[in-house]
Amino acid sequence: MDWVESGGGPLLAAPASQLARWEGATDGEDDEAPVEAWGDYGRACAVEGYIGLVGIGGGQGLVLGDEPATTTYLPDERLFLRWAAADSEAELLQAARSAVRGVEWEEELSWDVDGAVVLFDSAWPGATPEPGNHLNIDLAPGRYRVRAAYTRDDRTWMILVHLQPAP
């Protein structure tokens, strides 16, 4: 599996068609300045909770917030899997595939996409996402119901973000 890591902030699934419009963190970022002053990265950081939306050009990006968890995408399940704790990747994948069928979703929103998206660290500019640390994700254009939840058992802890085509 390919995983995307964060340097400390949220990850972003941005429409490939609007990627060049994401500027990431501003140069000379001041930790004392309000988060809104940090450019596009600041807008992503301002999202509270597990998921949120930010405008990017004529589209919307999906922010994966809460904690900077290493994340992958499982296309068969249309699931972003965010690794909080597990002894192995295989153990985490198995737990996620089981959990998605019975988890109590905590947050929900609607997300309109025009096709493929790219998952990357929101601090990076979209025109040049960090080499080796981004995922290209094929999505059919349309509206998606996005649900998120934190789940854990004795050995695995994870955040699940599930995409479901909206009727």
Side-chain angles (χ1 to χ4, degrees), residues 33-50:
V35 71
E36 296 80 16
W38 297 355
D40 285 343
Y41 173 69
R43 293 189 307 121
C45 289
V47 168
E48 294 184 18
Y50 299 125

Side-chain angles (χ1 to χ4, degrees), residues 25 28 31-32 45 48 57 63 72 74 87 91 95-96 101 104 107 111 113-114 120 124 126 134-135 150 162 167:
D31 289 341
E32 299 298 318
C45 289
E48 294 184 18
V63 176
T72 194
L74 307 177
D87 290 333
E91 183 178 67
R101 290 187 293 272
E104 289 189 37
E107 298 179 24
W111 183 33
V113 298
D114 62 2
F120 64 102
W124 282 77
H134 62 278
L135 290 176
Y150 178 88
H162 187 238

Side-chain angles (χ1 to χ4, degrees), residues 44-74:
C45 289
V47 168
E48 294 184 18
Y50 299 125
I51 52 176
L53 298 174
V54 292
I56 305 173
Q60 299 174 308
L62 177 65
V63 176
L64 303 181
D66 186 55
E67 63 178 74
T70 301
T71 302
T72 194
Y73 183 74
L74 307 177

Side-chain angles (χ1 to χ4, degrees), residues 11-144:
L11 296 178
L12 177 69
S17 66
Q18 301 296 316
L19 205 54
R21 295 177 180 261
W22 185 261
E23 296 181 4
T26 58
D27 290 335
E29 182 177 295
D30 178 5
D31 289 341
E32 299 298 318
V35 71
E36 296 80 16
W38 297 355
D40 285 343
Y41 173 69
R43 293 189 307 121
C45 289
V47 168
E48 294 184 18
Y50 299 125
I51 52 176
L53 298 174
V54 292
I56 305 173
Q60 299 174 308
L62 177 65
V63 176
L64 303 181
D66 186 55
E67 63 178 74
T70 301
T71 302
T72 194
Y73 183 74
L74 307 177
D76 291 342
E77 292 84 1
R78 287 187 310 274
L79 183 70
F80 288 102
L81 171 56
R82 312 201 66 214
W83 189 328
D87 290 333
S88 71
E89 179 181 282
E91 183 178 67
L92 184 67
L93 291 171
Q94 180 180 357
R97 288 181 172 126
S98 293
V100 75
R101 290 187 293 272
V103 70
E104 289 189 37
W105 301 104
E106 301 170 41
E107 298 179 24
E108 184 175 325
L109 56 80
S110 292
W111 183 33
D112 293 312
V113 298
D114 62 2
V117 299
V118 179
L119 179 68
F120 64 102
D121 184 338
S122 63
W124 282 77
T128 56
E130 186 177 9
N133 192 37
H134 62 278
L135 290 176
N136 296 314
I137 300 166
D138 288 326
L139 291 178
R143 175 167 283 183
Y144 288 84

Side-chain angles (χ1 to χ4, degrees), residues 78 143-147 162-167:
R78 287 187 310 274
R143 175 167 283 183
Y144 288 84
R145 176 183 179 199
V146 182
R147 302 178 298 172
H162 187 238
L163 308 180
Q164 186 175 46

